[in-house]
Structure formats: C-alpha cells, structure tokens
C-alpha cells in the first residue's frame, strides 16, 4: 500500500471514529434510564404528583431523591404526561404556603407559575399540543370565560414539577400534603386514536 493510500485510510478511520464518538455522547441522555425525564415517567399512572422530596419524613419516590432540590425547606413532586393521551390538567388550590408549578420538556423548563396567579383560589393549568389548543379554542363558547391557563408544549412528552415552601419546621407536613393534593389528570383527548379515546389517568 502506498503512503498516500495509508494516510487516506487512516484519516477516514479517524473521521468515522470521531463521528461515532460524538453521536454516542449526544445520544446518551436520550437512552439513559437514569435521567430526570425518564424517571419522571413513573408518575404517568398517578393522578397526583409523584413524591420526590418530602419534608416530614417517609420514603421518597423509588430510586431516591433524583431531582435537584437545593432548598431543604421545599417539598417537591412531579407529574409526567404524554399528550398523545390528551391534554394534561394540573389543578391546585392556593393555601397558606407558597406553591409553584413549572413545566419541563426534555430540553428544560418552558413555563412556570406560582399560586399568586390563582383565580378564586384555584390554579388550573392545561398543557396541550398546538392542535389540541386550536381545538379547545374552536370549542369555546362565545362570551364564556374560562379560568384555565392553556400552555402549548414544545414536545408531546414532559413533566410538571410542583414545589411548596415550608417557612417553618411546623409547616413541613402541611407542605408535603399540599404537594400531594395537587391533581394531575388527562382531559378528554383532542386527538383520539382508537380505544384510547376518553381514557385518562387512573
């Protein structure tokens, strides 16, 4: 083999190896079973947040406290969703403790709100696709006011993070209960497919 052919083959091998390496590194988060996005999917069968970080004792969610929680005075839970099943509704009641809800896709947070935005003491967030949002608008009754906060998600799969702050040690159990009192349900599908029409979280 000539020197030029050897160098060409070596260069091609290095380029291919580099491409494979980069592709593998970029694919790790998508195929990892230990990232937050994948672990949050354990909550899809629940109608309330999956406990991630509690303040009043008791075991956390299966797998440990995997969601970063820099503040030890914050109780945390997650609700995962798949918009192929229909829009996800997150409902919470404003109480004595501050509550916040943030929406996340695989790329990160895309919406956040606190109970300060509650209407008549209630906070109703509905996460949906663009098609589901357009259908909801088309089905609105003229002149009827809805208190739903409609959020168009950038991807069909994601999760909501519910946080409640306990300012005092005596409020820790109340904070945990407030997280668990949040409702995470699937509205009637705007894009039904076969037997899935009308199904919701159980």
């Amino acid at each position: 083999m000539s020197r030029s052919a050897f160098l060409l083959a070596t260069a091609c091998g290095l380029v291919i190896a580099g491409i494979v390496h980069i592709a593998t590194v970029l694919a790790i988060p998508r195929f990892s079973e230990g990232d937050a996005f994948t672990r949050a999917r354990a909550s899809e069968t629940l109608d309330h947040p999956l406990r991630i970080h509690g303040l009043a004792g008791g075991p956390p969610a299966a797998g440990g406290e995997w969601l970063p929680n820099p503040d030890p005075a914050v109780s945390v839970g997650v609700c995962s969703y798949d918009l192929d099943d229909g829009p996800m509704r997150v409902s919470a009641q404003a109480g004595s403790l501050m509550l916040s809800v943030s929406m996340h896709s695989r790329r990160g947070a895309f919406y956040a709100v606190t109970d300060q935005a509650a209407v008549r003491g209630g906070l109703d967030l509905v996460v949906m696709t663009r098609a589901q949002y357009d259908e909801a608008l088309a089905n609105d009754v003229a002149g009827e006011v809805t208190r739903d906060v409609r959020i168009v998600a950038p991807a069909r799969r994601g999760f909501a993070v519910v946080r409640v702050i306990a300012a005092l040690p005596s409020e820790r159990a109340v904070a945990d209960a407030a997280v668990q009192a949040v409702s995470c349900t699937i509205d009637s599908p705007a894009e039904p497919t076969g037997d899935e029409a009308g199904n919701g979280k159980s």
Side-chain angles (χ1 to χ4, degrees):
M1 180 183 294
S2 66
R3 179 181 179 83
S4 59
F6 174 77
L7 293 176
L8 178 60
T10 301
C12 290
L14 290 175
V15 170
I16 293 173
I19 293 174
V20 171
H21 176 74
I22 293 172
T24 301
V25 170
L26 294 178
I28 286 175
R30 181 170 297 276
F31 294 104
S32 171
E33 296 182 356
D35 67 325
F37 188 85
T38 302
R39 291 185 182 225
R41 293 180 60 183
S43 66
E44 284 187 358
T45 58
L46 304 177
D47 59 3
H48 59 83
L50 176 70
R51 180 179 177 179
I52 301 302
H53 180 77
L55 304 179
E65 298 178 356
W66 45 266
L67 193 70
N69 188 62
D71 194 331
V74 178
S75 182
V76 183
V78 300
C79 295
S80 183
Y81 62 82
D82 183 346
L83 298 181
D84 284 337
D85 297 330
M88 184 184 76
R89 178 180 295 273
V90 179
S91 300
Q93 293 296 315
S96 59
L97 305 183
M98 180 178 175
L99 177 147
S100 70
V101 181
S102 57
M103 301 297 175
H104 300 252
S105 68
R106 189 177 289 277
R107 296 185 175 220
F110 61 89
Y111 186 87
V113 67
T114 71
D115 57 1
Q116 295 297 307
V119 177
R120 296 190 295 276
L123 186 65
D124 283 286
L125 309 177
V126 184
V127 187
M128 50 184 58
T129 64
R130 172 58 66 178
Q132 290 165 349
Y133 176 79
D134 292 341
E135 183 166 341
L137 287 181
N139 292 333
D140 283 345
V141 178
E144 184 175 303
V145 179
T146 177
R147 71 178 193 178
D148 292 349
V149 178
R150 294 168 176 166
I151 306 162
V152 176
R156 288 181 173 268
R157 300 184 74 84
F159 60 91
V161 179
V162 180
R163 295 181 173 91
V164 177
I165 299 175
L168 301 171
S170 60
E171 297 175 336
R172 290 174 178 173
V174 178
D176 287 347
V179 170
Q180 293 301 297
V182 173
S183 172
C184 303
T185 56
I186 296 297
D187 277 359
S188 297
E191 300 169 328
T193 56
D195 295 335
E196 292 181 356
N199 289 342
K201 281 188 177 182
S202 58

